[in-house]
Amino acid sequence: MRSMTGFGRGVTTTEHFRLTVEIRSVNHRFLEVSTKFPKEWMEAEIHTKKLLSTLLSRGKLDVLVNLKKEEQQAPKINVNIPVLLAYKEAREQVSQVLPVEEEWSMQEILGLQDAFLVESDEIPHETLLQAVSEAVTEAATALIQMREREGQELYEALQGFKQELMQEIEQIRSVSSQAVEKYREKLLQRLQDITSSEEVESRILTEVAVFAERVDIAEELDRLSSHFEQLDETLRDNQPIGRKLEFLLQEIHREINTIGSKNQSSVASIAVVQAKSVLEKMREQVQNIE
């Protein structure tokens, strides 16, 4: 079991640069990846999103990238000889028409467009993509480890809440059969006060039968038992289970609500309230499970 909150950092160092990737994660219904990459790194950004989608299924991820280049050496400047010769030829042609000084100043030469070529210090595309992949993988691994540690804490909390919830349900089950008998006794007393004994038994049987059908919660209790079995199986699953847990808790809440509406016992009423309280705590925890 994993939570959806966590943090991870990955670092890749090459001879040209040091790349740091940080990933922060919070809970979300789906997987949403927000990246802050330089504009020219579009391919690396797409690759990062695809990679994270294979490692995580839910959560809102913020991915931050920081590139620090190593101390730069003096740039290499190449003289563009063909361009300089073309300028020389053009100057000679102009000198035949207008008086032009024969000497060239260095300032003039440096001002000639495209006369000098400065080798760019760009990072090779393949090197950058590989570095991003390694750093993102390392950051995602650290993030997953943190989410798993928190997931273990959530698992233990849910197991405790589940035991509390089952105790309340058992309390309801223990008194459910008493409701009909108490109603029969109460109805018998009232009827005996107003009618003859010959009529009492027939009327009691009819009234009690109607009442018993109205307050019967056997089906709800059976479905709750089934839901608890599914809950146990789900908590042991190694796959992302957050959404399935949300559905199961909704179904459990539905059955408890139905029991509360049928209930005729003060003891059961207290248990229903307690069960809803525990269930709400479980739902809060499940909101952060992947």
Side-chain angles (χ1 to χ4, degrees), residues 49-281:
K49 290 183 177 181
K50 288 183 178 179
L51 176 60
L52 291 175
S53 68
T54 64
L55 300 174
L56 301 163
S57 62
R58 293 179 69 192
K60 185 179 186 303
L61 309 181
D62 288 318
V63 184
L64 179 63
V65 177
N66 179 47
L67 180 68
K68 182 180 180 181
K69 293 185 178 181
E70 297 297 331
E71 186 176 349
Q72 296 182 350
Q73 299 178 348
K76 185 177 181 181
I77 300 176
N78 297 318
V79 180
N80 196 339
I81 300 297
V83 171
L84 283 177
L85 291 175
Y87 277 117
K88 179 177 180 293
E89 183 180 348
R91 186 185 180 95
E92 291 173 350
Q93 292 177 5
V94 171
S95 66
Q96 296 175 6
V97 181
L98 299 173
V100 178
E101 295 181 5
E102 293 184 4
E103 295 291 335
W104 289 59
S105 69
M106 194 62 190
Q107 184 175 0
E108 284 182 288
I109 297 174
L110 291 174
L112 297 176
Q113 185 175 357
D114 297 328
F116 301 94
L117 302 176
V118 180
E119 289 188 3
S120 62
D121 192 25
E122 292 184 358
I123 301 171
H125 173 74
E126 295 77 10
T127 302
L128 177 62
L129 194 61
Q130 180 65 25
V132 170
S133 180
E134 291 176 2
V136 169
T137 301
E138 182 180 345
T141 300
L143 171 67
I144 291 171
Q145 290 174 349
M146 180 177 287
R147 287 171 63 147
E148 287 177 347
R149 287 194 298 269
E150 291 189 3
Q152 181 61 32
E153 295 177 1
L154 289 172
Y155 172 82
E156 294 171 0
L158 286 176
Q159 287 286 9
F161 288 139
K162 186 196 72 173
Q163 293 301 321
E164 291 182 33
L165 184 58
M166 293 179 66
Q167 289 175 5
E168 300 300 336
I169 299 303
E170 285 304 310
Q171 181 72 14
I172 294 172
R173 188 189 301 274
S174 67
V175 299
S176 62
S177 60
Q178 302 173 10
V180 175
E181 183 58 31
K182 288 183 177 180
Y183 180 77
R184 182 181 183 284
E185 294 174 358
K186 186 176 181 180
L187 183 62
L188 176 60
Q189 182 61 46
R190 288 184 177 180
L191 289 176
Q192 285 178 340
D193 293 339
I194 61 175
T195 187
S196 62
S197 60
E198 290 78 8
E199 299 172 337
V200 169
E201 191 62 31
S202 176
R203 294 188 60 178
I204 285 179
L205 290 175
T206 302
E207 292 291 335
V208 169
V210 172
F211 177 80
E213 184 176 355
R214 188 170 69 246
V215 302
D216 181 40
I217 59 173
E219 290 185 8
E220 287 78 8
L221 291 173
D222 288 342
R223 283 195 290 268
L224 280 174
S225 296
S226 175
H227 292 332
F228 283 130
E229 290 178 2
Q230 293 181 60
L231 186 59
D232 279 334
E233 293 177 1
T234 303
L235 289 174
R236 291 193 298 268
D237 199 337
N238 291 326
Q239 301 299 318
I241 59 173
R243 292 181 185 175
K244 187 174 181 180
L245 287 176
E246 289 177 7
F247 172 76
L248 281 173
L249 295 186
Q250 287 176 1
E251 293 302 303
I252 292 174
H253 187 265
R254 190 195 316 277
E255 302 302 337
I256 292 175
N257 267 343
T258 303
I259 290 174
S261 66
K262 291 183 175 183
N263 171 61
Q264 297 292 325
S265 165
S266 59
V267 174
S269 294
I270 295 173
V272 166
V273 172
Q274 292 296 331
K276 288 183 177 181
S277 176
V278 174
L279 192 61
E280 185 60 30
K281 294 177 183 177

